Amino acid sequence: MSSADMKPITPEKETTIYEAPDPLELTSTFDQTRFTEESVMDGGSRSSRPVEAASRVAEVPKKKRDPRIILMAVLGVLALVVLPLMSIFTRQVVQTRNGATASPTPNVEATGNQSELEKRLILLEQDVATADPIQLDLAYPPVNFELDLLDATSKERLEQERSTRQR
Amino acid sequence: MRKAFLWLVLFVILARGFVAPAHAQFETLEATPASAGGELAINDIQSATEAYYGRVEEYRNAEKRFLLAREDYYQQNTLAALEEANRRAKDVLRARSDVLHSYYRYLRLSLEATNGIELADKEEALAQLRFWEEALIEHREATAPLVSRPQLDGHLRLLNDQKLSLVSAAYSSLSLMKMGNIQTAVDNTILVREYMADQIDQSSLAAAEKEIKLRGLEEVDRLVQAARNNYAKLREDYMLFTRQNNYSEQNYRAFQGNAEYSYLQLRQSLSFLKEISRGVK
């Protein structure tokens, strides 16, 4: 082996010289929440590592999600679930109010294979059911026909107050 | 981000159309004239009913706020309290006109769609309902320029004085609708009875069986006649109270009780007709 073949031995990686940190800096960067016993158990390797350095190692580039997008996604999912349910519910309420589902009378169209007489009887059944006078009506508006706005010191007003107190 | 927002808005718009077809329908139908009979009339009545429920809620809230504001004014007697009471009085005036108007609209549409009513009675009742609808719109519009307490007080009392006539128009219309329904059921019972008699006559049933069925039809005739007699009495009472323009809620309840006899007789005749129809083709 000639001297020309010999390559100078160069370190593959640049060695870094450990510099003792500033004691004041240490107090802020060292993980002070760890127990001394723990450092004994793991050979004291981790306890001596500054927290900042550890976090740098674990740092993986993460995409920060916009909270507005998350909020909108949640709202979208809620809308998908709630709106169809509301639709079903409101339709049922409307039908019940108008007696469409409450009436037990059969539907003429649903029974196509019936004789003329049977069809007439079914229609009559509907007419008789409609003629029930106790059927629920739309109630008269619950309005107050005794509203007024008197002068606070008028005789009429004071008499009103007196009579209410007596009652 | 913007795209997502636009998608969400689009979805909500589409979903609204899917959820509330009844309300949307109401907004469009409110402006269209009511047609007698058919699906449009049913839709009109349905939308008027929905509108009425909404107005009732608005009125309840407005009345509650007005009574509180008025009490504050009576207790404190300050100008600020008076102003608030005036503002709330205006709100309750509008809400009261609105709820009453929506109710009379519902009554008119329902009456228009009801068959079996004597034409003269129907026209008279419809004219009354139209009158109140217009009067209530005018009453609401007249609220706008009112500002002072005496003006608002006068306007509140104006409607109070009309209570009897308003109530009478409403309950007499309801009675008329019930009478129309009874009349329709009576007419159709007679038609079905006639048709059934023909069918029995043409059928291949034994003579004895035919005789039983015809006796059954005689029972139906008696029931229908009783229902008609009762109906005539109902109409008499109706005419008496409506002429006096004093058809109260009490009158209406009494009417309902009496009309139930006709209804029960019709139901019984229907039951007999069903029994008779067995074996007849």
Side-chain angles (χ1 to χ4, degrees):
Chain A
M1 199 185 228
S2 65
S3 62
D5 292 329
M6 288 178 73
K7 285 178 186 169
I9 300 164
T10 51
E12 283 181 355
K13 283 179 188 170
E14 202 178 63
T15 50
T16 51
I17 300 159
Y18 179 73
E19 282 177 25
D22 187 345
L24 281 172
E25 208 179 288
L26 269 176
T27 53
S28 61
T29 55
F30 270 46
D31 188 359
Q32 294 177 0
T33 58
R34 287 175 67 84
F35 293 104
T36 46
E37 285 86 348
E38 277 181 68
S39 70
V40 172
M41 284 171 80
D42 62 22
S45 59
R46 277 191 290 171
S47 61
S48 60
R49 196 186 298 152
V51 175
E52 203 182 345
S55 69
R56 263 184 216 152
V57 171
E59 200 174 63
V60 180
K62 269 188 186 174
K63 271 190 180 180
K64 257 199 170 181
R65 286 195 179 163
D66 195 333
R68 282 177 297 180
I69 291 176
I70 295 165
L71 183 72
M72 259 193 261
V74 170
L75 281 174
V77 170
L78 266 175
L80 271 170
V81 175
V82 173
L83 291 175
L85 283 174
M86 272 173 67
S87 144
I88 293 161
F89 179 71
T90 47
R91 279 177 193 186
Q92 277 176 350
V93 168
V94 169
Q95 280 179 341
T96 317
R97 274 184 192 160
N98 290 291
T101 51
S103 170
T105 48
N107 188 358
V108 186
E109 284 168 25
T111 52
N113 300 328
Q114 286 164 331
S115 69
E116 181 61 27
L117 183 61
E118 281 169 323
K119 280 179 190 168
R120 282 176 185 233
L121 279 169
I122 289 166
L123 284 173
L124 181 62
E125 196 170 355
Q126 288 175 351
D127 288 335
V128 172
T130 313
D132 183 359
I134 310 298
Q135 261 185 356
L136 205 63
D137 302 310
L138 202 58
Y140 194 82
V143 294
N144 188 344
F145 281 109
E146 282 161 19
L147 291 176
D148 53 26
L149 184 55
L150 301 167
D151 178 2
T153 52
S154 72
K155 199 179 167 189
E156 197 184 346
R157 218 283 293 171
L158 294 170
E159 274 172 8
Q160 262 185 13
E161 199 176 306
R162 207 171 296 146
S163 64
T164 351
R165 269 187 211 153
Q166 279 170 357
R167 263 183 248 155
Chain B
M1 177 66 201
R2 235 177 127 182
K3 253 188 180 178
F5 179 71
L6 284 172
W7 274 111
L8 190 70
V9 169
L10 187 70
F11 174 77
V12 170
I13 290 166
L14 288 172
R16 261 186 68 83
F18 176 62
V19 165
H23 297 282
Q25 228 169 27
F26 169 61
E27 281 156 19
T28 52
L29 284 169
E30 185 84 275
T32 61
S35 66
E39 205 168 309
L40 192 60
I42 293 164
N43 286 341
D44 280 352
I45 295 165
Q46 196 169 316
S47 60
T49 312
E50 291 296 306
Y52 169 72
Y53 283 120
R55 300 278 192 272
V56 167
E57 276 309 301
E58 283 167 19
Y59 172 76
R60 278 191 177 134
N61 291 333
E63 191 195 317
K64 223 179 281 172
R65 288 190 195 115
F66 166 68
L67 292 175
L68 283 172
R70 189 179 70 173
E71 198 48 40
D72 271 358
Y73 161 60
Y74 286 166
Q75 296 306 318
Q76 296 167 18
N77 202 7
T78 61
L79 285 172
L82 174 62
E83 275 306 306
E84 181 63 9
N86 283 346
R87 200 166 66 86
R88 295 298 182 191
K90 219 169 171 174
D91 289 345
V92 81
L93 269 166
R94 280 196 216 107
R96 194 166 63 165
S97 301
D98 285 347
V99 70
L100 285 167
H101 178 265
S102 67
Y103 187 67
Y104 285 88
R105 182 172 183 268
Y106 157 81
L107 286 178
R108 178 176 56 79
L109 294 171
S110 304
L111 189 61
E112 277 172 349
T114 309
N115 298 318
I117 305 169
E118 295 258 345
L119 203 63
D121 294 350
K122 193 173 182 173
E123 278 310 312
E124 204 178 314
L126 281 174
Q128 270 208 14
L129 294 173
R130 279 193 205 105
F131 167 80
W132 282 119
E133 272 185 82
E134 282 163 23
L136 286 162
I137 290 173
E138 279 170 23
H139 185 76
R140 190 196 198 283
E141 282 168 359
T143 310
L146 306 179
V147 280
S148 71
R149 187 202 58 76
Q151 283 177 331
L152 289 159
D153 181 48
H155 212 61
L156 280 167
R157 287 163 189 254
L158 201 66
L159 201 63
N160 297 354
D161 295 341
Q162 307 295 327
K163 184 189 174 183
L164 276 181
S165 307
L166 272 162
V167 167
S168 180
Y171 283 113
S172 58
S173 303
L174 282 171
S175 299
L176 208 54
M177 282 187 248
K178 305 274 180 200
M179 285 204 287
N181 292 334
I182 289 172
Q183 186 60 56
T184 305
V186 166
D187 292 345
N188 288 341
T189 305
I190 294 167
L191 286 174
V192 172
R193 183 246 176 259
E194 292 300 321
Y195 182 78
M196 202 175 280
D198 285 346
Q199 294 295 305
I200 292 166
D201 197 39
Q202 289 164 21
S203 71
S204 55
L205 290 168
E209 208 170 337
K210 273 187 184 179
E211 211 170 297
I212 291 168
K213 288 195 182 290
L214 290 173
R215 273 207 298 277
L217 287 182
E218 281 169 19
E219 279 304 313
V220 171
D221 291 342
R222 272 192 281 278
L223 283 166
V224 170
Q225 191 52 50
R228 288 172 90 169
N229 292 344
N230 192 50
Y231 174 84
K233 179 78 180 70
L234 286 173
R235 191 161 182 277
E236 218 172 89
D237 290 350
Y238 166 81
M239 296 304 282
L240 185 75
F241 289 116
T242 44
R243 269 192 211 121
Q244 292 167 357
N245 203 18
N246 187 20
Y247 203 88
S248 62
E249 187 181 353
Q250 211 177 348
N251 292 138
Y252 177 63
R253 300 291 166 223
F255 165 86
Q256 278 186 307
N258 293 329
E260 211 177 356
Y261 294 117
S262 292
Y263 167 67
L264 291 173
Q265 281 144 356
L266 289 168
R267 222 175 58 175
Q268 189 55 51
S269 36
L270 173 72
S271 171
F272 282 167
L273 284 170
K274 276 183 176 174
E275 212 177 322
I276 297 162
S277 73
R278 278 176 213 149
V280 182
K281 286 186 180 177

